[in-house]
Amino acid sequence: MDHSQHTTPGDIWRQAARLPTAYPLGTCVVFVILVSAFFLAFPGVDTWFSGLFYAEPKGFFLRSNSILKVVRDLGSLAVILVVVWLIVQIALKIANPGHPSYVRPSTTLFLLSTLIAGPLLLVNIVLKNNWGRPRPNSVDLFGGDSPYVAVWRITDHCDTNCSFVSGETASAFWLMALALVVPRRLRVPTAVATGVYAAILSANRIAFGGHFLSDVLISVGLTLTVVVVGYRLIVTNPPEWLANERLEAGLTRLGERLQGRRPPDA
């Protein structure tokens, strides 16, 4: 009897573990759908989880923890440093147009465009300002005046900068995009480091009563979806006008014009 085709439970788990890397976009989309469906079916999980960090009369008691306050204050530091670093690389290329970019222009475009499209536009401008979901610390279950609102439900209980979804989570998990562009040997350590960093910041927002668990998880899925789409469109399979060579040449011409120099082939 031939056992060569026999599939063991271990094989099944190994195949399942490969799905996120084999089908990253599908994995992200399915994650958002499943998480949304779960919290629509079991909204009590949201309030239960937030309730773990709430106690009368202090409310969300960890908000007064000095260490966690520092974590919150430093939350956007890594994102700011990456953005400044990328802008400096562009400035150096323009200042020295004859030298190749230290960071590939396609990498810079990928990182900056996904930060703008995901955390800034989709999360902070579209969702947080239009869905009207009250934050946990504004909900009547936790000492506020507003009702609990389920995920994806548009209401007028909050006017702007609302709970759905977490902006700080989006910015923090956007940093995982770095794992796609660093040298191969650094990809796993970068993914782990940025993932842990983002998870800590996200947990901090829940503990402070700033977001529900569903806000955080859906924000993760949406942000990584934008990152995956951006990576395909700009880095792995760009249209001709977004090819790295075209971007490099464009920066070279820009630098030469700003310096009043004519291109060599002019």
Side-chain angles (χ1 to χ4, degrees):
M1 183 176 179
D2 184 8
H3 296 280
S4 60
Q5 301 299 319
H6 180 66
T7 301
T8 66
D11 294 331
I12 296 174
W13 281 109
R14 281 190 290 272
Q15 292 172 5
R18 296 191 189 103
L19 287 176
T21 54
Y23 306 99
L25 180 56
T27 300
C28 291
V29 172
V30 169
F31 177 82
V32 172
I33 293 173
L34 291 179
V35 170
S36 299
F38 175 84
F39 282 101
L40 285 171
F42 305 103
V45 175
D46 248 349
T47 53
W48 167 78
F49 196 80
S50 290
L52 297 176
F53 307 97
Y54 181 86
E56 295 288 359
K58 292 184 178 181
F60 287 96
F61 50 89
L62 290 178
R63 297 178 68 174
S64 60
N65 185 287
S66 58
I67 295 177
L68 295 182
K69 283 184 177 180
V70 172
V71 172
R72 169 81 195 282
D73 293 340
L74 295 178
S76 59
L77 179 60
V79 174
I80 293 173
L81 290 176
V82 171
V83 171
V84 170
W85 177 67
L86 292 172
I87 293 174
V88 167
Q89 302 310 312
I90 296 174
L92 289 175
K93 169 61 182 179
I94 293 174
N96 300 278
H99 296 278
S101 301
Y102 176 70
V103 177
R104 290 168 59 90
S106 59
T107 296
T108 299
L109 178 62
F110 158 63
L111 292 173
L112 292 180
S113 64
T114 51
L115 177 62
I116 293 171
L120 178 59
L121 293 179
L122 176 60
V123 171
N124 281 290
I125 293 180
V126 175
L127 294 178
K128 289 177 66 66
N129 285 340
N130 292 287
W131 255 248
R133 188 187 203 191
R135 296 177 183 270
N137 53 29
S138 298
V139 170
D140 49 17
L141 292 171
F142 304 117
D145 300 321
S146 301
Y148 169 82
V149 173
V151 296
W152 296 109
R153 180 185 169 195
I154 300 177
T155 75
D156 57 0
H157 293 295
C158 174
D159 295 327
T160 185
N161 193 28
C162 306
S163 190
F164 186 79
V165 289
S166 174
E168 289 177 64
T169 293
S171 297
F173 273 92
W174 166 81
L175 290 169
M176 295 191 73
L178 294 172
L180 298 174
V181 296
V182 297
R184 187 171 297 274
R185 69 181 184 280
L186 298 177
R187 289 183 181 179
V188 172
T190 301
V192 172
T194 54
V196 170
Y197 174 84
I200 291 173
L201 293 178
S202 300
N204 201 34
R205 298 302 295 128
I206 298 173
F208 277 27
H211 287 286
F212 289 105
L213 177 62
S214 57
D215 295 322
V216 165
L217 294 179
I218 294 175
S219 182
V220 172
L222 293 175
T223 300
L224 295 183
T225 298
V226 171
V227 167
V228 171
V229 171
Y231 187 71
R232 287 188 177 183
L233 290 178
I234 299 174
V235 179
T236 63
N237 191 30
E240 184 178 349
W241 60 278
L242 279 181
N244 185 71
E245 294 74 15
R246 294 285 294 273
L247 297 175
E248 181 76 30
L251 287 176
T252 298
R253 289 193 297 270
L254 176 61
E256 290 171 341
R257 289 171 182 169
L258 291 177
Q259 294 183 24
R261 292 164 49 184
R262 299 178 62 189
D265 58 348

